[in-house]
Amino acid sequence: MRLRGPKNKIGSFVFRYAAATALVIVATVLTSGLWLIVNRPVSAPLFIVAIVLSTWLFGLRVGIYASLIAGVAIDYYFIGPFYEFTASREEIVRLALFVGEGTFLSLLINKLRIFSDEIRVSREELRELTKHQQTLRETEQKRIALEIHDELGQALTGLKMDVHFIRRQLLESGQPAEGDEIVNDLDKLSKKIDVTIGTVRRISSEIRPSILDDFGLVAASEWQAREFQRNSDIRCHFSSVPEEMDLGNDANTAVFRILQEALTNVARHAHARSVIVRLQNSESGLTMTVADDGVGIGGEGLDRRKSLGILGMRERSRLIGGILDISSSQEGGTRVELRLPRAADRHLNTG
């Protein structure tokens, strides 16, 4: 982080050097106060802090300037003879050494600040790239789900109609033996087509549930809870206050995906008998809670380097300005809580 002050160059220049001077003055005042309490304490530490802050906030040149005036202040106020400059060799060498040490420290702090800024910018770029990739992924999943549902579903429906048409023709033809056997085979084929149609619809819903786009977050979350209970035999209690809410397309998708991953983790690792899903949207924002009565999650489970699912949940929450908390209660079970501020606050947090 680097403070620049006013936007114009002259104002920024004055602000930075004035701020560094103020830091050295504060160090001088505090050191003088310590001298009143303790008999001649060490003088340099507070001035070193002033040099470090000046370099970190305003850059290398300001740090060197702070080193120079800090050396002068130490020599003038805290090294005898007090309140005067003798220009002696000892005084000049002492001042040169302190300024040299301060300059070297400023170089190190400036390098650290530059690396810190580069890491921060790199993280922001990586986060934007992740957000873009997730958006593209959701768009592509939506397209694939629609094509599977529409194209493949229509083809299977047409095939089933052809089977029914052939079956009806065979029954109308009146051929007893061979006709009855073919009709039975066609009935079996029709049942297989029905199973395949159901599989196509299930795969399409898992890729991108159309209910999320058509009916919103609450309806999609309730559907997901029902599907989870049906597929896992774990009781799932769902509640929402209010019964309808719209957080925007990106936030709706992120919250739904976090819910999916949380329920997947319950099914895989929790050994739970029941899970409770709550959605609550108030003036302060959305809170989503997924709590189970299973074995709980330990430190290894929370290790983000080992758990890609938890890492994905945390990253999705960050991208929409939310806070994800995962904890294990003393009574047993795991609690996943997502807190999402209002849209205006999310914009401030992510901007």
Side-chain angles (χ1 to χ4, degrees):
M1 179 180 177
R2 186 172 181 176
L3 298 181
R4 298 184 180 274
K7 293 184 179 180
N8 62 83
K9 293 183 178 180
I10 296 178
S12 176
F13 177 86
V14 173
F15 171 79
R16 289 185 285 122
Y17 283 89
T21 303
L23 287 173
V24 174
I25 292 174
V26 171
T28 303
V29 172
L30 291 176
T31 303
S32 299
L34 289 175
W35 274 51
L36 297 175
I37 301 173
V38 181
N39 185 23
R40 297 195 177 191
V42 179
S43 304
L46 292 175
F47 290 94
I48 292 176
V49 172
I51 294 170
V52 169
L53 289 176
S54 298
T55 306
W56 184 266
L57 296 176
F58 307 113
L60 177 61
R61 294 180 180 178
V62 180
I64 295 175
Y65 166 77
S67 301
L68 178 60
I69 63 174
V72 171
I74 290 175
D75 189 84
Y76 186 78
Y77 290 103
F78 304 108
I79 297 178
F82 301 112
Y83 310 116
E84 65 177 33
F85 293 110
T86 62
S88 64
R89 178 184 175 187
E90 181 182 356
E91 187 177 66
I92 293 174
V93 171
R94 185 169 58 242
L95 180 61
L97 287 175
F98 184 83
V99 173
E101 291 174 356
T103 300
F104 179 70
L105 180 62
S106 297
L107 285 170
L108 294 179
I109 296 299
N110 189 61
K111 287 291 185 181
L112 180 61
R113 181 188 59 80
I114 292 173
F115 291 150
S116 176
D117 289 343
E118 290 177 350
I119 292 174
R120 177 179 54 81
V121 171
S122 176
R123 285 180 176 177
E124 290 176 355
E125 291 176 347
L126 182 60
R127 188 160 294 169
E128 288 298 321
L129 177 60
T130 302
K131 183 178 181 180
H132 178 65
Q133 289 179 333
Q134 287 187 352
T135 301
L136 291 179
R137 180 184 177 185
E138 291 293 341
T139 302
E140 186 65 13
Q141 285 182 329
K142 183 177 180 180
R143 183 188 66 80
I144 293 173
L146 287 174
E147 288 188 1
I148 291 176
H149 184 273
D150 295 342
E151 300 296 332
L152 189 55
Q154 290 178 5
L156 289 171
T157 302
L159 181 60
K160 183 176 180 180
M161 292 176 63
D162 291 339
V163 169
H164 279 292
F165 178 74
I166 295 174
R167 180 178 182 279
R168 187 178 62 184
Q169 284 188 325
L170 286 173
L171 290 175
E172 292 177 352
S173 65
Q175 299 180 2
E178 295 182 359
D180 291 342
E181 185 176 347
I182 294 175
V183 167
N184 291 332
D185 292 338
L186 290 175
D187 288 338
K188 294 178 181 178
L189 179 59
S190 179
K191 291 179 181 179
K192 290 181 180 180
I193 294 175
D194 289 335
V195 172
T196 305
I197 291 175
T199 302
V200 168
R201 290 175 178 173
R202 178 180 58 80
I203 294 175
S204 177
S205 297
E206 289 178 354
I207 294 175
R208 173 75 182 193
S210 59
I211 190 174
L212 179 61
D213 300 308
D214 297 336
F215 298 99
L217 176 61
V218 175
S221 300
E222 186 175 7
W223 169 83
Q224 183 63 49
R226 289 199 305 268
E227 288 294 300
F228 170 79
Q229 178 171 296
R230 182 174 63 86
N231 295 327
S232 65
D233 292 329
I234 299 174
R235 295 191 306 275
C236 187
H237 307 280
F238 176 83
S239 62
S240 175
V241 179
E243 295 183 355
E244 293 184 4
M245 60 183 74
D246 184 12
L247 308 175
N249 183 61
D250 292 340
N252 283 345
T253 301
V255 172
F256 180 77
R257 293 304 187 191
I258 291 172
L259 172 62
Q260 278 188 319
E261 183 62 34
L263 292 177
T264 299
N265 289 339
V266 172
R268 290 178 178 176
H269 310 295
H271 303 291
R273 292 175 297 177
S274 64
V275 59
I276 298 174
V277 178
R278 291 194 183 98
L279 287 176
Q280 185 172 0
N281 198 16
S282 62
E283 294 182 355
S284 59
L286 170 78
T287 300
M288 181 182 72
T289 305
V290 181
D292 64 67
D293 60 356
V295 296
I297 186 169
E300 293 183 357
L302 290 172
D303 190 343
R304 288 178 287 181
R305 296 171 297 178
K306 297 180 180 179
S307 177
L308 294 180
I310 292 179
L311 177 62
M313 292 164 64
R314 293 188 186 276
E315 191 60 28
R316 285 185 183 275
S317 66
R318 287 195 194 101
L319 291 177
I320 58 175
I323 300 174
L324 187 73
D325 180 58
I326 303 176
S327 60
S328 182
S329 63
Q330 296 181 351
E331 295 78 11
T334 302
R335 177 186 177 91
V336 178
E337 182 176 87
L338 172 66
R339 296 184 297 276
L340 190 63
R342 293 180 299 111
D345 297 333
R346 293 204 306 271
H347 178 73
L348 292 176
N349 292 337
T350 56

